[in-house]
């Protein structure tokens, strides 16, 4: 137990980053309140299939993991942040195991290691085959439930409370009431903003609330133009991820004539960096006027069911027997590399505000995240932010917080016109600020987004708050994309320069 002065800490968000930060802060003796938008543990983490990257295999090392991370990041990663990620990674995976995460193991007890794109080695630890995030979430939620951590569920982050130039709490909406929660520091772990796009692997609540609140509070935000599109989402029914680990096991991407077209874009074919594969699929689908196919038939029914039980079940529920026939796939918005700018301990530019996990821009991912580095990043930087609380210098509040006496409709009260405005924005972002961008398209999108923002009334419903957050992020994303005139990583301007992977 630390001898640090006891502080009141609010953690917002309950994916791996928020749960880790809350546990570490509580174990260090701080008084922790964990606020989450829906149920404890909901969000992107339980949907994560592939796993957590760690250098365990023969011939592998933290240095090789770092090199792969930097290479995927297309030259824009922060090398110090990557060093921290791979250096602290082993301890965090060991911690997950100690907290009860049952990673898949071989008969001799060693961790089973999967392979994913742009990794030079098989190094992905996984659980339940393709249910890694759900297992991590289960174990960490159970720990939080047993810890002296106050959990507030179904609470929507309206804004950060800033006093004397520091983050000193949050304003949240719960049961229709606006409530101010005072704290000595705030750790944002609110995830990303996949709901900016018409097609996304992210859940409905991924509306960038934390990044938007940080922007309004004056914290530095960067790299929003780098949205990662996952190459393989089942192109039938609601977006459902087909893990990159399936390609890591040997599945191929083919066109309607059975040709492995990704080799036209990159010598590593299906295991090229994710941005390259996504663009290759998008172009192929455009020219052939239909989805491309993922062929996993060579893996056989038994192996597919054992290694990928979740994907096996869902594809069969949707009418596909992927052991016998290739399945249609399409890219979808998956992970935001940009976010609230932080240092190596999760500190933002606003004193008292920390950001961890997808909401943060640590610099680890650069222009394109290496697969299975995101759960790792959440665990590593969640723990580091909690440790850094000890070094926080506090000033007394200049004025006491008082909650405004306002009520708003509940979370699911989404009016039809708000839903249709969101759909319009998502389609605009998909068409103009998506995988393949042009200067003209970005300019038009920015004009439209600005008009939508100008016409929007002050938010009076929860859905309107989400919409305002999405519009704000859309404007910053489109502006950043327009300002970045050369293609790099996930930001791709057409006509493309003649680069490998273009
Ligand atoms: C996947 O399983 O393909 C997703 C892994 C990731 O996004 O890191």
């Amino acid at each position: 137990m630390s001898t640090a002065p006891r502080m009141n800490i609010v953690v917002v968000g309950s994916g791996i980053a928020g749960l880790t930060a809350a546990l570490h802060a509580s174990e260090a003796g701080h008084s922790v309140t964990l606020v989450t938008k829906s149920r404890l543990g909901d969000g992107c983490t339980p949907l994560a299939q592939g796993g957590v990257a760690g250098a365990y295999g023969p011939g592998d090392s933290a240095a090789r993991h770092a090199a792969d991370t930097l290479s995927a990041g297309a030259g824009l990663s922060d090398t110090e942040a990557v060093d921290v990620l791979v250096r602290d990674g082993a301890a965090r995976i060991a911690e997950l195991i100690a907290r009860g995460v049952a990673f898949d193991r071989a008969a001799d007890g060693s961790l089973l290691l999967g392979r994913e794109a742009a990794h030079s080695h098989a190094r992905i630890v996984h659980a339940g085959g393709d249910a890694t995030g759900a297992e991590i979430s289960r174990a960490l939620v159970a720990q939080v439930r047993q810890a002296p951590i106050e959990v507030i569920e179904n609470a929507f982050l309206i804004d950060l409370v800033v006093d004397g130039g520091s983050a000193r709490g949050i304003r949240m909406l719960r049961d229709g009431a606006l409530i101010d929660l005072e704290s000595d520091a705030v750790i944002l772990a609110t995830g990303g903003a996949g709901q900016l796009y018409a097609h996304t692997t992210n859940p409905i609540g991924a509306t960038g609330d934390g990044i938007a609140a940080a922007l309004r509070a004056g914290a530095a935000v960067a790299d929003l133009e780098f949205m990662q599109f996952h190459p393989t989402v089942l192109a039938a029914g609601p977006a459902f991820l087909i893990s990159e680990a399936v390609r890591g096991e040997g599945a191929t991407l083919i066109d309607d004539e059975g040709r492995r077209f990704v080799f036209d874009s990159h010598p590593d074919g299906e295991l090229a960096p994710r941005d390259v594969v996504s663009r290759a699929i998008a172009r192929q689908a455009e020219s052939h006027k239909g989805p491309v196919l993922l062929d996993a038939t060579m893996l056989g029914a038994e192996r597919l069911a054992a290694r990928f039980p979740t994907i096996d079940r869902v594809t069969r529920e949707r009418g596909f027997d992927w052991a016998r026939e290739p399945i249609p796939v399409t890219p979808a918005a998956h992970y935001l590399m940009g976010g609230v700018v932080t240092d190596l301990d999760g500190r933002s530019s606003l004193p008292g505000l920390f950001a961890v996990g997808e909401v943060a821009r640590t610099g680890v991912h650069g222009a394109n995240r290496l697969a299975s580095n995101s759960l790792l990043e959440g665990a590593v930087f969640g723990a580091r932010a909690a440790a850094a609380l000890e070094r926080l210098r506090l000033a007394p509040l200049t004025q006491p917080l008082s909650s405004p006496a306002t009520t708003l409709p509940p979370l699911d009260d989404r009016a039809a016109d708000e839903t249709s405005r969101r759909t319009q924005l998502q389609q605009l972002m998909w068409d103009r600020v998506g995988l393949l961008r042009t200067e003209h398209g970005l300019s038009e999108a920015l004009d439209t987004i600005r008009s939508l923002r100008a016409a929007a009334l002050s938010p009076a419903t929860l859905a309107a708050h989400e919409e305002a957050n999405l519009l704000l992020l859309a404007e910053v994303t489109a502006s950043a994309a327009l300002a970045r005139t050369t293609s790099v990583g996930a930001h791709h301007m057409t006509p493309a320069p003649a680069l490998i992977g273009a």
Side-chain angles (χ1 to χ4, degrees):
M1 180 79 60
S2 156
T3 54
R6 204 173 142 82
M7 288 190 281
N8 292 316
I9 306 301
V10 169
V11 178
V12 192
S14 63
I16 187 170
L19 293 167
T20 302
L23 284 166
H24 277 249
S26 173
E27 287 159 6
H30 302 298
S31 170
V32 178
T33 304
L34 179 51
V35 175
T36 189
K37 189 170 180 177
S38 48
R39 300 273 313 272
L40 184 65
D42 279 356
C44 287
T45 292
L47 302 179
Q49 294 180 356
V52 190
Y56 291 98
D60 202 3
S61 64
R64 286 175 203 274
H65 183 188
D68 292 346
T69 302
L70 292 167
S71 163
L76 293 194
S77 301
D78 175 328
T79 48
E80 269 189 284
V82 173
D83 280 350
V84 164
L85 180 82
V86 300
R87 201 179 58 222
D88 288 9
R92 295 287 75 80
I93 293 174
E95 176 188 330
L96 288 171
I97 294 168
R99 292 194 191 276
V101 177
F103 287 116
D104 297 331
R105 290 178 185 273
D108 66 1
S110 59
L111 289 167
L112 285 174
L113 300 174
R115 180 102 192 230
E116 289 182 10
H119 285 274
S120 58
H121 286 70
R123 63 162 73 96
I124 317 299
V125 296
H126 47 84
D130 56 5
T132 313
E135 170 61 6
I136 289 173
S137 190
R138 178 203 64 72
L140 296 186
V141 164
Q143 291 249 316
V144 165
R145 292 267 185 225
Q146 284 170 8
I149 294 174
E150 187 188 355
V151 175
I152 304 178
E153 296 180 308
N154 301 310
F156 178 79
L157 172 70
I158 296 282
D159 259 320
L160 294 160
V161 172
V162 179
D163 179 275
S166 296
R168 296 305 296 268
I170 63 164
R171 174 164 294 177
M172 63 182 181
L173 175 66
R174 187 155 187 268
D175 291 336
L178 287 175
I179 301 163
D180 284 355
L181 206 58
E182 185 187 321
S183 66
D184 296 319
V186 176
I187 301 180
L188 281 180
T190 44
Q195 288 294 324
L196 277 170
Y197 289 89
H199 306 284
T200 179
T201 61
N202 291 189
I204 188 83
T207 50
D209 309 325
I211 304 172
L215 270 166
R216 286 190 293 265
V221 165
D223 290 354
L224 294 197
E225 67 274 35
F226 296 125
M227 169 61 80
Q228 180 170 75
F229 293 84
H230 194 288
T232 53
V233 166
L234 188 62
F240 176 72
L241 186 73
I242 309 293
S243 176
E244 200 161 77
V246 177
R247 276 175 283 129
E249 293 283 327
T252 58
L253 286 161
I254 53 173
D255 64 16
D256 47 7
E257 287 161 7
R259 202 176 65 86
R260 290 175 69 183
F261 59 89
V262 190
F263 283 98
D264 299 347
S265 299
H266 198 284
D268 291 343
E270 289 87 357
L271 293 182
R274 200 171 268 184
D275 59 311
V276 176
V277 180
S278 290
R279 280 194 298 275
I281 293 177
R283 286 201 186 101
Q284 189 68 26
E286 208 172 73
S287 59
H288 282 63
K289 308 255 176 291
V292 305
L293 299 168
L294 179 74
D295 184 3
T297 55
M298 72 293 284
L299 299 177
E302 207 177 316
R303 184 148 159 229
L304 286 172
R307 175 69 177 86
F308 304 109
T310 313
I311 302 171
D312 192 65
R313 176 176 53 75
V314 174
T315 48
R316 287 178 191 285
E317 280 168 7
R318 300 220 185 148
F320 298 99
D321 180 352
W322 69 328
R324 296 170 70 91
E325 56 179 351
I327 54 174
V329 290
T330 181
H334 183 57
Y335 188 92
L336 185 56
M337 271 77 74
V340 180
V341 176
T342 69
D343 67 9
L344 300 179
D345 292 315
R347 285 185 208 87
S348 77
S349 64
L350 180 68
L353 179 68
F354 295 75
V356 294
E358 192 175 351
V359 68
R361 184 264 180 214
T362 58
V364 158
H365 307 304
N368 181 44
R369 178 179 63 93
L370 185 67
S372 286
N373 266 354
S374 47
L375 292 173
L376 187 68
E377 186 199 33
V380 164
F381 288 90
R384 291 179 71 90
L389 292 170
E390 290 194 28
R391 300 187 288 281
L392 193 66
R393 279 196 218 95
L394 286 177
L397 277 180
T398 61
Q399 51 187 23
L401 302 187
S402 64
S403 300
T406 308
T407 56
L408 290 178
L411 186 59
D412 51 5
D413 186 14
R414 293 185 167 89
D417 60 335
E418 283 162 349
T419 304
S420 86
R421 273 199 303 267
R422 184 190 281 209
T423 308
Q424 183 195 350
L425 176 67
Q426 290 169 328
Q427 196 58 50
L428 179 73
M429 291 294 287
W430 181 260
D431 292 340
R432 302 287 163 92
V433 197
L435 272 156
L436 304 170
R437 302 166 174 178
T438 64
E439 192 183 335
H440 178 69
L442 289 172
S443 289
E444 274 194 353
L446 191 53
D447 287 348
T448 308
I449 293 162
R450 285 186 171 145
S451 313
L452 289 170
R453 281 199 79 200
L457 303 172
S458 185
T461 65
L462 196 145
H465 275 282
E466 285 184 328
E467 185 188 313
N469 289 342
L470 287 171
L471 279 170
L472 172 58
L473 295 198
E475 180 171 352
V476 178
T477 303
S479 305
L482 204 49
R484 193 178 285 282
T485 49
T486 48
S487 297
V488 57
H491 170 68
H492 195 83
M493 300 293 286
T494 53
L499 289 174
I500 191 163

